[in-house]
Amino acid sequence: MGMDLRCQVNNHAHRTGEMDLERLLVRRGQSFSLALQCFTPLPPNHKLAMILHLGKESGVVVKVLDARAGSDKWWFRQQRAQNEVLLTVHSPADTPVGIYSVTLLLLSPDGHILEQTTPETFYLLFNPWCKADSVYLPDEELLEEYILNENGLLYQGSWDQISSLPWNFGQFEQDVVDICFEILNNSPAALKNPEIDTANRADPVYVSRTITAMVNANDDRGVVLGRWDGKYDDGVSPTRWTGSVAILRRWREAGAQRVRYGQCWVFSGVACTVLRCLGIPTRPVTNYSSAHDTDGNLNVDYLYDEQLESVSEGRKDMIWNYHCWVESWMDREDLPKGYDGWQALDPTPQERSDGVYCCGPCPVKAVRDGDVGMKYDAAFVFSEVNADLVTWIVYPDGQRSQVSLNQKTVGRNISTKSVYGDYREDITKHYKYPEGSVKEREVYEKAGRRITQLNGAPGQLELKIKHAQAILGTDFDVIVEVHNVGGEDTPAQLTVTSNAVTYNSLHRGECQRRTASLTVPAQKAHKEVMRLRYDHYGACVSEHNLIRVTALLQASSQPDVILQEVNIPLSMPQLHVKVVGDAVVSRKLIAHISFTNPLPITLRGGMFTVEGAGLTCSSTYQHIVANIGPGEDVKVKLSFKPTRAGLRKLMVDFDADRLRDVKGIATLIVRDRLTVN
């Protein structure tokens, strides 16, 4: 009569019930059951055979053994009960993940095929609950977060002013699992040789590396196109996204056409969704003061002329205010012992690896211990968290002078969301030994780097930059202090600039510049106050709302120059979100959203975007408002019907012409209709 895939029973047992209960989704290395329904009992001397197909028509064919076999084989056992046969299927824990079809054959005593069922489809995923799987993670609380949690936090801001962005991973939302396999199917390796690619999908190292290449659209039919120049009119501003699902669906609906646009946190959020969905434990990570070393010398070299103008040419070394990537948990059977566990994977297109824009998987332990030869890209990740900042002054004759060295700027407060709640866990110690420790110096030498030293004794002038909390739309003061720790009065030249920059150090425009000649008394301090006015920075501030203040000090009697730099994040307003109604599956709820324009100008083209895993069906909701005057309040109401029970988060984003990335969130517990009286 047919085959019952027993989707509800199997999916609940394999922790995929949140994905779907109408289709079969199981994890490798764990048995599942099928029921063969017959018109009459099967003759006792007839046999059943099971055939699996993986991939396209010419793909992998697996004959499932009909008796107990080793853990490296597919096999099934059967229990006959009148007109039904219950089949328990066992899969190897190292078999390729993918979309399989299963066919049952009825064989005569001499082995001829008498009947066969219509092929049925099931999905096979990695299994971090199975000890034999190379992604096994023996901690239920970690699995609850790194596989099953559909909501999370991506950390942004700066090392001394950390902020969090709620993100809807939505890995169990409708059809996301299909999109994940479509991403794999569109990789260059799959298109070139699908059979080899299919077989390689048994290995999480291969799969995760493929995903990091496919999440960005630089080389292939990837998902997201990166852009950092502020020109997003032909797409979606990276700051508008509040989750991965809308991006993945847009990619699929457009026929695997790149989605415009993303930046590092978007790439990491999408990668986290795909890897969790496939069954690989994954968490997003943020590195503050993250180095992008373009020439591989493990230094970030800043070049300025005597007027404090950047004179770097070509591809510049940069320090990003923060940079996001992901870590995935897996064994590294391709490496010597000791490198299992968390692996850094960076889908943001920065440098090519084996000719492709991808990075990792790189063992985090290899980064910490300076083993920069380990696969993949350990030297690049090492520099992201360990590079020295070296500043040079370039003179008119082409000569350059090293004027400052900072060995503690890069790689600070490396962060991920805690498994115990919505707060930050610092994982810096996993990537590096304490700054300045003996072990840290040993690791640097092991990594083959030249320990940079600044020549000469310390000068008698010291330079510091201080500022109060800066709020977008207001004026605020920056105080530059010059301390004379010597015994003589010292004349000097001080230049201070403020620039609007992006989080990855691209300049959008100079706000103010001031040059002063001063004499600092011995054992005293001179304070220079620069008032940063919204009238000056408002027109050029980037969507990341970041001001960089740079101070350059040169004593008249000394050749050395002192340079200090701070990044000042401008605090953003928040949306207030309140949900009214009983939170029950399929019952209408109303979200009340309120917002006050904090700027002294009118906002135009405002748009509210709302989404939430298990809350907003298969789409995001948008509401457009016209003009919002200075200080004006706006209130918006949106209705939605939850689709799944459990702890859910409603994400709201507001963007306008001069104000972007304003976020709000509401958390609610949705009950199933069956539990409501």
Side-chain angles (χ1 to χ4, degrees):
M1 289 172 60
M3 182 167 33
D4 178 7
L5 299 181
R6 296 170 58 83
C7 296
Q8 292 204 16
V9 172
N10 287 318
N11 290 6
H12 282 306
H14 287 251
R15 299 174 176 85
T16 59
E18 287 283 311
M19 284 188 189
D20 205 322
L21 291 175
E22 304 299 323
R23 298 182 295 174
L24 180 59
L25 299 113
V26 293
R27 301 187 184 276
R28 65 185 192 175
Q30 181 176 343
S31 63
F32 60 96
S33 58
L34 308 172
L36 179 65
Q37 296 156 335
C38 309
F39 289 105
T40 59
L42 294 182
N45 57 346
H46 286 53
K47 288 188 174 183
L48 287 175
M50 183 181 296
I51 302 294
L52 305 178
H53 284 83
L54 173 60
K56 298 178 181 178
E57 292 182 9
S58 59
V60 177
V61 179
V62 180
K63 185 179 186 303
V64 183
L65 302 176
D66 61 355
R68 177 179 288 274
S71 60
D72 61 337
K73 300 283 195 251
W74 283 88
W75 62 279
F76 73 94
R77 57 184 171 85
Q78 54 183 294
Q79 294 173 277
R80 302 191 181 191
Q82 298 186 37
N83 293 0
E84 195 168 37
V85 182
L86 183 66
L87 306 167
T88 303
V89 185
H90 299 261
S91 65
D94 61 354
T95 197
V97 299
I99 303 175
Y100 287 73
S101 69
V102 54
T103 305
L104 291 174
L105 310 176
L106 179 62
L107 305 178
S108 65
D110 56 359
H112 288 93
I113 299 175
L114 301 178
E115 287 186 67
Q116 67 182 57
T117 61
T118 302
E120 297 280 1
T121 297
F122 70 93
Y123 298 69
L124 191 72
L125 307 175
F126 291 103
N127 191 353
W129 285 271
C130 174
K131 288 184 178 181
D133 197 310
S134 52
V135 300
Y136 174 60
L137 180 58
D139 188 315
E140 190 64 37
E141 287 181 320
L142 299 187
L143 290 167
E144 190 71 31
E145 179 71 29
Y146 300 141
I147 290 288
L148 301 179
N149 195 350
E150 292 184 85
N151 300 294
L153 298 174
L154 307 180
Y155 287 97
Q156 298 180 323
S158 61
W159 71 270
D160 57 348
Q161 197 170 324
I162 295 172
S163 60
S164 61
L165 172 70
W167 192 262
N168 171 30
F169 296 116
Q171 66 268 28
F172 299 148
E173 288 285 79
Q174 186 176 2
D175 296 331
V176 167
V177 66
D178 299 273
I179 299 172
C180 294
F181 283 116
E182 285 179 30
I183 292 171
L184 290 173
N185 292 341
N186 276 278
S187 73
L191 296 173
K192 182 179 179 180
N193 196 323
E195 286 191 37
I196 293 177
D197 173 73
T198 297
N200 284 336
R201 292 186 192 178
D203 181 8
V205 173
Y206 176 85
V207 170
S208 62
R209 185 162 171 80
T210 300
I211 293 302
T212 63
M214 287 298 296
V215 165
N216 73 72
N218 279 50
D219 306 290
D220 39 47
R221 304 175 71 179
V223 179
V224 182
L225 182 63
R227 191 161 190 168
W228 285 266
D229 62 4
K231 300 174 182 177
Y232 311 122
D233 290 343
D234 60 340
V236 176
S237 168
T239 60
R240 181 172 291 177
W241 302 114
T242 53
S244 307
V245 179
I247 296 170
L248 292 169
R249 286 184 175 140
R250 186 175 293 206
W251 175 81
R252 183 196 209 187
E253 291 163 2
Q257 294 296 309
R258 59 189 62 179
V259 177
R260 296 178 168 88
Y261 290 101
Q263 291 172 3
C264 73
W265 69 92
V266 179
F267 291 115
S268 69
V270 172
C272 188
T273 294
V274 175
L275 292 164
R276 284 186 183 181
C277 184
L278 294 174
I280 301 175
T282 302
R283 63 187 184 185
V285 170
T286 299
N287 176 40
Y288 289 95
S289 299
S290 186
H292 183 181
D293 174 22
T294 59
D295 57 11
N297 68 347
L298 300 182
N299 286 340
V300 172
D301 296 298
Y302 280 5
L303 306 180
Y304 293 93
D305 63 18
E306 294 174 284
Q307 284 70 48
L308 196 57
E309 297 284 355
S310 174
V311 292
S312 299
E313 296 181 355
R315 299 179 67 235
K316 302 177 184 178
D317 286 355
M318 292 188 292
I319 295 178
W320 295 24
N321 217 40
Y322 63 88
H323 181 50
C324 302
W325 58 75
V326 298
E327 289 177 358
S328 291
W329 182 273
M330 65 189 74
D331 291 344
R332 291 302 301 268
E333 296 171 7
D334 58 325
L335 297 179
K337 287 186 177 180
Y339 296 104
D340 299 342
W342 289 117
Q343 313 289 318
L345 293 143
D346 190 350
T348 300
Q350 294 186 89
E351 300 291 329
R352 292 187 184 273
S353 173
D354 295 337
V356 178
Y357 278 106
C358 67
C359 180
C362 168
V364 172
K365 185 178 184 299
V367 177
R368 187 192 64 183
D369 292 342
D371 297 325
V372 294
M374 287 296 135
K375 295 188 297 184
Y376 291 90
D377 312 303
F380 183 75
V381 180
F382 183 88
S383 71
E384 285 186 302
V385 301
N386 278 307
D388 284 352
L389 171 60
V390 184
T391 306
W392 305 82
I393 296 295
V394 180
Y395 298 101
D397 62 359
Q399 295 294 313
R400 63 165 74 174
S401 172
Q402 179 183 325
V403 297
S404 73
L405 167 67
N406 194 321
Q407 297 175 327
K408 297 183 179 180
T409 292
V410 170
R412 298 184 174 192
N413 293 344
I414 303 174
S415 303
T416 190
K417 177 188 171 298
S418 169
V419 300
Y420 303 111
D422 287 345
Y423 55 87
R424 187 181 72 89
E425 178 184 351
D426 193 297
I427 56 173
T428 308
K429 64 183 180 181
H430 296 172
Y431 281 86
K432 56 199 298 189
Y433 291 98
E435 292 284 5
S437 66
V438 173
K439 188 66 177 177
E440 181 214 24
R441 295 290 103 185
E442 291 175 356
V443 166
Y444 276 15
E445 293 180 14
K446 181 180 178 182
R449 77 188 298 284
R450 175 177 56 86
I451 304 296
T452 307
Q453 300 292 342
L454 187 60
N455 296 327
Q460 64 182 31
L461 295 184
E462 296 178 350
L463 187 60
K464 296 180 180 179
I465 303 175
K466 298 180 178 180
H467 64 90
Q469 183 178 11
I471 300 173
L472 181 66
T474 66
D475 304 340
F476 60 94
D477 290 335
V478 174
I479 301 171
V480 179
E481 295 183 353
V482 182
H483 293 262
N484 186 349
V485 296
E488 298 179 0
D489 296 355
T490 305
Q493 185 87 2
L494 176 66
T495 301
V496 184
T497 63
S498 61
N499 292 276
V501 296
T502 64
Y503 81 98
N504 62 332
S505 288
L506 299 179
H507 281 239
R508 290 284 176 81
E510 185 172 280
C511 306
Q512 288 172 266
R513 171 182 288 263
R514 177 181 298 177
T515 300
S517 297
L518 46 96
T519 298
V520 188
Q523 299 297 317
K524 300 282 187 180
H526 173 87
K527 293 185 179 181
E528 196 76 23
V529 180
M530 176 182 278
R531 184 102 175 139
L532 291 181
R533 302 184 184 279
Y534 181 76
D535 291 345
H536 294 149
Y537 71 77
C540 60
V541 70
S542 74
E543 66 272 24
H544 307 119
N545 301 306
L546 193 64
I547 301 294
R548 175 170 293 167
V549 176
T550 307
L552 185 74
L553 179 70
Q554 183 165 23
S556 302
S557 59
Q558 299 173 8
D560 291 342
V561 176
I562 305 172
L563 184 139
Q564 285 290 342
E565 198 167 73
V566 297
N567 295 313
I568 305 175
L570 303 174
S571 296
M572 295 285 289
Q574 287 190 328
L575 302 176
H576 297 283
V577 185
K578 183 179 181 181
V579 176
V580 177
D582 290 332
V584 178
V585 171
S586 298
R587 187 173 295 178
K588 182 177 176 181
L589 294 173
I590 304 293
H592 294 261
I593 306 163
S594 59
F595 166 71
T596 302
N597 178 8
L599 303 185
I601 58 171
T602 297
L603 297 175
R604 293 178 172 83
M607 177 180 291
F608 292 91
T609 304
V610 179
E611 72 168 304
L615 293 176
T616 57
C617 294
S618 60
S619 63
T620 57
Y621 297 137
Q622 293 184 334
H623 183 89
I624 298 174
V625 294
N627 298 334
I628 308 173
E632 183 179 342
D633 294 326
V634 173
K635 295 184 179 180
V636 173
K637 289 195 296 184
L638 290 171
S639 64
F640 62 96
K641 293 181 179 179
T643 58
R644 289 184 284 135
L647 182 70
R648 302 292 168 193
K649 295 190 177 185
L650 189 72
M651 317 282 194
V652 186
D653 170 82
F654 174 78
D655 281 310
D657 60 339
R658 296 284 292 274
L659 184 64
R660 293 176 175 173
D661 199 22
V662 184
K663 306 294 184 185
I665 187 170
T667 303
L668 54 156
I669 298 175
V670 179
R671 294 173 293 163
D672 200 295
R673 283 177 295 178
L674 299 178
T675 64
V676 179
N677 294 330

